[in-house]
Amino acid sequence: MPYKDLREYLKVLESKGLLCHVTAEVDKDWEISAVCRHTFRSIPQERRPALMFDKIKGHDIPLVVGILGGSREIYATALGTDQKGVWDTWARGKNPIPPKLVSSGPCQEVVHLGADANLEMLPAPIWTVGQDPSPYHTSPFVISRDPETRVQNVGTYRLQVKNAHRGGLMINPQRGMRVHMQKNEAKGGATEAAIVFGTDPVIGLTSVSPFPAGVDELAAAGGIRGEAVEVVRCKTVDIDVPATAEIVVEGRIPYLGNEPEGPFGEYAGYMGAGGNNPVFEVTCITHRKNPIYQAFLSQMPPSESSCIKGFGRENEIRRHLVNNLGLPIHDVCLPESGSSTATVLVSMKKQNRFQPQKAMMGIWSMNAGLAKIVVVVDDDINIRDPFQVDWAIAFRMQPADDIRIVPNTDPITLDPSQPLRDGKVLPASEQVSSKLGIDATRKHAYPPPSVPPKEHLEKVASQWDRYGIRPVS
Ligand SMILES: Cc1cc2nc3c(=O)[nH]c(=O)nc-3n(C[C@H](O)[C@H](O)[C@H](O)COP(=O)(O)O)c2cc1C
Ligand SMILES: [Mn+2]
């Protein structure tokens, strides 16, 4: 049975020992960010808990963070499976189940209309204190509707809190919602949106993953859950939102309503300049009784942002390479050092010499602005071990033959290595990148590896105590 809402999921996290309550009162304007950073820096991913800040100074809404992407175990729990089951569970998304419209839902238990709809009632933290201009919502699931097909899109786009009724959205050029805005702008119209916080966890996972344009992420979530997501119509906009959501902020992006947004501490580990970005005017806020607010920890990796992006992108890339292209893929990994964006590692049991290049091109053809570097290795290399990947690059690759550089491709818009123009960062819409592909698979039969026989290594491992060897402390 899928989770029906965030609350049911938090109980499961708690029962598995994966959620830690911070009961001490904290200040959202400096302390939450520093506590999260210390948690992510000091506790390795495999042992990292999600956090629930129960008491926030000046607010009566608790904040949860790390609950979707704190670790691989947390991610698997969000999908209702274990770590081995992630790929099979995710692959169910290829059979979407459209959301089901119902007449009422707990997300509208409390309604604040017009002047009562105060964006500052939510405990959005300041994340990079001293550099971000104001609090930011980092885990909004932004829902908009295609004015022609009426199909909805869900994407996570950060929201700057500018005042009680006004926010600023940063939506990259390739994103699903941009298409809706372009179609509305062509007719001189505004774009309506609903910004959802705190749902059944599968919706959050689909909101941050690169589904093809035109796919409704709520339908993909339905497929993964094996049951339709129930939705209710918003009070002031023509948008359907998950009925059991914790908090829904309704509003509109006025026609050509851009204004300065940012700067913001970004996922690549540097401050991002921000820019002239869409305004979001709040028309209504609805929420459950005693709502729970969700945030993502982003900024410098390691972070929840890079964990969750990595897990979601691995699945989507692998699905494309296997299901659409029929490539013999063994594993796909987006290392966190590349903020799970810049670098993609692929292992495959290649059947002919063209397949490594097909894998590179397959990834670059996806709708995502990622994979500046793709490295393809044979299936005997464990791509989750950086040493093995370096070893493959060192001895299975000839630079003059096995490197591909492709110019004029989609950029990672927050990559600080982008060339400047007149000493300034180019706006996202004008950036262009290039791609690097490294084919580090063997091109012919290789000599055997120079290691002791497997049975000797296994025997030694099984009687390791016999040798009395201890690491230096
Ligand atoms: C924590 C976090 C924050 C994100 N912030 C933004 C953002 O501010 N703007 C943006 O365009 N994409 C952002 N993304 C990436 C998008 O959510 C992601 O590309 C998603 O697939 C977009 O969905 P879409 O293709 O339906 O637009 C963020 C992702 C995460 C995990
Ligand atoms: Mn989309």
Side-chain angles (χ1 to χ4, degrees):
M1 282 290 281
Y3 303 109
K4 70 174 191 296
D5 55 15
L6 178 70
R7 296 165 188 213
E8 195 175 288
Y9 170 59
L10 292 178
K11 285 210 186 85
V12 172
L13 278 184
E14 202 150 13
S15 71
K16 292 177 82 173
L18 295 172
L19 179 70
C20 190
H21 284 268
V22 178
T23 52
E25 187 183 70
V26 290
D27 187 330
K28 77 173 189 64
D29 288 335
W30 69 271
E31 206 170 6
I32 289 179
S33 168
V35 171
C36 291
R37 179 62 45 206
H38 192 80
T39 305
F40 272 69
R41 280 197 170 159
S42 61
I43 305 179
Q45 188 252 116
E46 305 77 44
R47 299 181 49 219
R48 193 185 288 148
L51 305 178
M52 181 152 180
F53 291 92
D54 290 325
K55 234 169 118 186
I56 300 172
K57 204 165 112 191
H59 285 265
D60 52 10
I61 300 178
L63 177 151
V64 289
V65 60
I67 60 155
L68 298 183
S71 72
R72 204 169 272 278
E73 184 64 22
I74 291 172
Y75 190 90
T77 306
L79 279 171
T81 182
D82 56 16
Q83 292 190 41
K84 284 203 185 75
V86 165
W87 160 245
D88 284 338
T89 308
W90 187 264
R92 299 202 302 235
K94 70 173 186 284
N95 299 316
I97 301 178
K100 183 175 156 211
L101 188 65
V102 296
S103 58
S104 67
C107 70
Q108 295 175 337
E109 279 170 347
V110 182
V111 179
H112 303 278
L113 275 168
D116 275 349
N118 179 354
L119 194 53
E120 289 168 344
M121 71 176 265
L122 306 177
I126 299 179
W127 293 100
T128 308
V129 177
Q131 303 195 79
D132 288 358
S134 62
Y136 264 90
H137 297 288
T138 52
S139 180
F141 310 146
V142 185
I143 307 185
S144 57
R145 197 190 282 287
D146 186 309
E148 289 164 6
T149 65
R150 287 196 57 77
V151 174
Q152 296 198 143
N153 183 76
V154 190
T156 290
Y157 319 122
R158 73 175 185 234
L159 180 73
Q160 180 184 352
V161 180
K162 296 190 169 178
N163 63 40
H165 308 290
R166 194 178 189 78
L169 281 165
M170 201 289 283
I171 313 169
N172 274 318
Q174 314 95 306
R175 301 293 184 241
M177 186 171 173
R178 279 280 176 194
V179 176
H180 303 175
M181 291 168 63
Q182 281 157 8
K183 288 184 180 179
N184 289 325
E185 281 163 8
K187 294 185 173 166
T191 297
E192 295 183 335
I195 300 183
V196 175
F197 298 93
T199 58
D200 152 26
V202 175
I203 295 168
L205 302 184
T206 59
S207 176
V208 297
S209 298
F211 288 94
V215 169
D216 178 355
E217 283 82 357
L218 290 183
I224 294 169
R225 297 169 88 241
E227 209 176 286
V229 174
E230 292 195 344
V231 292
V232 292
R233 186 64 43 87
C234 283
K235 297 286 178 192
T236 60
V237 291
D238 178 25
I239 302 282
D240 299 334
V241 292
T244 62
E246 294 291 330
I247 299 162
V248 180
V249 181
E250 304 178 8
R252 57 201 283 281
I253 296 167
Y255 173 60
L256 301 182
N258 281 7
E259 60 180 36
E261 180 273 345
F264 182 68
E266 277 293 355
Y267 70 85
Y270 296 95
M271 288 304 295
N276 209 28
N277 284 325
V279 170
F280 183 76
E281 295 170 349
V282 178
T283 54
C284 179
I285 295 179
T286 71
H287 60 82
R288 296 177 68 146
K289 287 180 193 144
N290 304 314
I292 302 168
Y293 171 79
Q294 191 200 339
F296 281 130
L297 178 70
S298 185
Q299 296 80 49
M300 175 76 80
S303 72
E304 179 177 23
S305 169
S306 46
C307 275
I308 199 170
K309 280 183 193 156
F311 305 153
R313 287 169 174 174
E314 276 168 33
N315 290 327
E316 264 312 288
I317 290 173
R318 183 167 158 180
R319 193 160 66 138
H320 176 56
L321 298 183
V322 172
N323 293 353
N324 297 341
L325 306 183
L327 291 172
I329 300 301
H330 180 68
D331 197 7
V332 175
C333 171
L334 285 84
E336 219 182 332
S337 50
S339 286
S340 306
T341 300
T343 312
V344 180
L345 310 175
V346 179
S347 59
M348 68 177 351
K349 197 172 173 62
K350 72 172 173 181
Q351 297 146 326
N352 62 56
R353 65 197 167 96
F354 303 112
Q355 283 177 335
Q357 181 161 310
K358 287 215 191 301
M360 295 169 194
M361 291 173 161
I363 295 167
W364 293 331
S365 74
M366 291 177 74
N367 166 35
L370 45 71
K372 182 168 73 170
I373 304 162
V374 177
V375 182
V376 184
V377 297
D378 299 302
D379 68 328
D380 65 319
I381 299 292
N382 174 6
I383 55 177
R384 289 160 202 283
D385 177 351
F387 191 95
Q388 289 198 34
V389 175
D390 290 345
W391 180 62
I393 292 174
F395 295 117
R396 297 184 183 183
M397 186 273 296
Q398 279 293 319
D401 304 319
D402 300 330
I403 301 257
R404 311 274 177 276
I405 292 177
V406 184
N408 292 321
T409 61
D410 53 325
I412 298 170
T413 51
L414 290 162
D415 176 358
S417 70
Q418 284 269 344
L420 305 179
R421 186 197 290 153
D422 303 329
K424 290 212 182 73
V425 177
L426 286 174
S429 58
E430 289 175 40
Q431 293 177 5
V432 178
S433 184
S434 53
K435 309 277 193 220
L436 167 66
I438 301 175
D439 176 358
T441 61
R442 288 166 297 206
K443 314 301 178 306
H444 48 256
Y446 261 49
S450 47
V451 283
K454 194 163 159 256
E455 58 274 22
H456 291 181
L457 289 173
E458 283 169 2
K459 183 164 186 197
V460 164
S462 72
Q463 55 183 29
W464 187 240
D465 287 347
R466 195 168 160 257
Y467 307 106
I469 298 171
R470 304 268 173 275
V472 175
S473 63

